[in-house]
Amino acid sequence: MGRAHEVRAASIAATNARKSALYMKASSEIYIAAKSGVPDPKDNLALRSAIEKWRAQNVTKEVIERAIAKAKGGSGQSYEAGRYEAFGPGGVAIVINTLTDNNNRAFADVRAAVKHHGGSISDRPGSAAFHFEDIGVLEFEGTDPDSITETLIMSDVDVKEVKLIDDGEIRVLVAPKELHNAQKVMSENGVGKFDTAETRLIPVDTVEVDAEDAQKLRNLLDALDEVQDVQSVYHNSNI
């Protein structure tokens, strides 16, 4: 059938792998959120946030409902959070967060992806994480950051920054421990939907990489994105 068919088949396979990994990530996170409280998004802020997050990434309704149903059914499945630190091409610091029911599989898959694309897993805890700061991030529709700032301060929320981004979108940065409190305050003051409600790592310094290392790093990040146990990946490059 020729080279064109092989390329097309490889592209379809890669797309399916990414979709499968995406659905696995969503399912495990939603399951954990549903198990953390009442398995109903109306009464469980963490679950509502997880659902909104993955809907924004086009995760299907069936995947979401199946994860919640599993939590309601008292599944004995157990997930553990993990964190791996690595250095990629050009000395870029990378932090990889996982959520898995099999730590051995998660580590093996992460290590293979990193090593195959020119990186190395660090055996010194904190060596890569040192280059990042934990921050709580909320993003939602709005046009008045000053009013949002006042509301949060009056509610004793430890606010780091409130700014208007893009068109009619407000970003709130808070201390990680304040994330759910800030989300609750915003919900009680008219914010019906959050485009983002999560804790992230923000680089405190960045590394300049040349074009060759930048492409290698993109390939590494793509490979990690296809690992089903990987929930989030952070790096401090300038790409």
Side-chain angles (χ1 to χ4, degrees):
M1 285 180 247
R3 176 64 178 162
H5 173 77
E6 291 177 3
V7 171
R8 189 161 55 250
S11 175
I12 292 172
T15 298
N16 288 340
R18 284 193 293 272
K19 182 181 290 187
S20 176
L22 177 72
Y23 286 0
M24 285 296 295
K25 297 176 203 288
S27 181
S28 56
E29 186 171 327
I30 290 168
Y31 173 85
I32 289 290
K35 293 286 284 185
S36 71
V38 179
D40 186 334
K42 294 178 182 176
D43 302 309
N44 185 330
L45 196 58
L47 177 57
R48 188 159 71 245
S49 297
I51 291 172
E52 289 174 357
K53 170 185 173 180
W54 292 108
R55 275 180 177 165
Q57 297 188 48
N58 297 317
V59 170
T60 66
K61 181 180 178 181
E62 288 75 19
V63 169
I64 293 169
E65 290 181 344
R66 192 158 56 242
I68 295 173
K70 184 187 291 186
K72 285 180 178 178
S75 168
Q77 196 163 11
S78 176
Y79 289 94
E80 289 184 53
R83 170 167 287 184
Y84 304 100
E85 299 179 46
F87 288 92
V92 172
I94 304 172
V95 176
I96 304 141
N97 291 327
T98 60
L99 188 62
T100 181
D101 59 354
N102 187 323
N103 282 316
N104 291 334
R105 180 190 66 216
F107 176 65
D109 289 350
V110 167
R111 180 177 57 185
V114 171
K115 184 176 180 180
H116 183 71
H117 293 281
S120 60
I121 295 289
S122 174
D123 58 2
R124 293 183 296 118
S127 58
F130 171 79
H131 298 278
F132 300 87
E133 175 188 9
D134 274 301
I135 200 79
V137 183
L138 295 169
E139 293 175 348
F140 49 88
E141 288 186 5
T143 56
D144 189 354
D146 291 338
S147 174
I148 296 296
T149 301
E150 182 179 354
T151 298
L152 290 168
I153 290 175
M154 292 298 292
S155 300
D156 294 323
V157 176
D158 182 7
V159 184
K160 302 294 185 183
E161 180 182 80
V162 180
K163 65 185 294 186
L164 192 63
I165 58 171
D166 298 329
D167 237 357
E169 184 94 342
I170 288 176
R171 175 182 293 155
V172 175
L173 303 182
V174 299
K177 61 183 176 58
E178 294 276 27
L179 179 63
H180 290 303
N181 186 27
Q183 189 175 5
K184 182 173 182 290
V185 169
M186 290 293 89
S187 294
E188 292 172 348
N189 284 273
V191 177
K193 178 178 179 293
F194 293 89
D195 297 318
T196 300
E198 62 186 13
T199 299
R200 292 179 183 169
L201 291 180
I202 295 179
V204 296
D205 56 63
T206 56
V207 173
E208 298 284 330
V209 294
D210 60 27
E212 182 179 351
D213 282 339
Q215 187 55 55
K216 290 178 181 178
L217 180 60
R218 290 189 186 96
N219 293 340
L220 192 162
L221 297 175
D222 286 344
L224 287 171
D225 191 48
E226 293 180 10
V227 176
Q228 68 179 38
D229 296 312
V230 171
Q231 290 294 117
S232 54
V233 179
Y234 303 95
H235 64 87
N236 71 335
S237 84
N238 63 327
I239 69 169

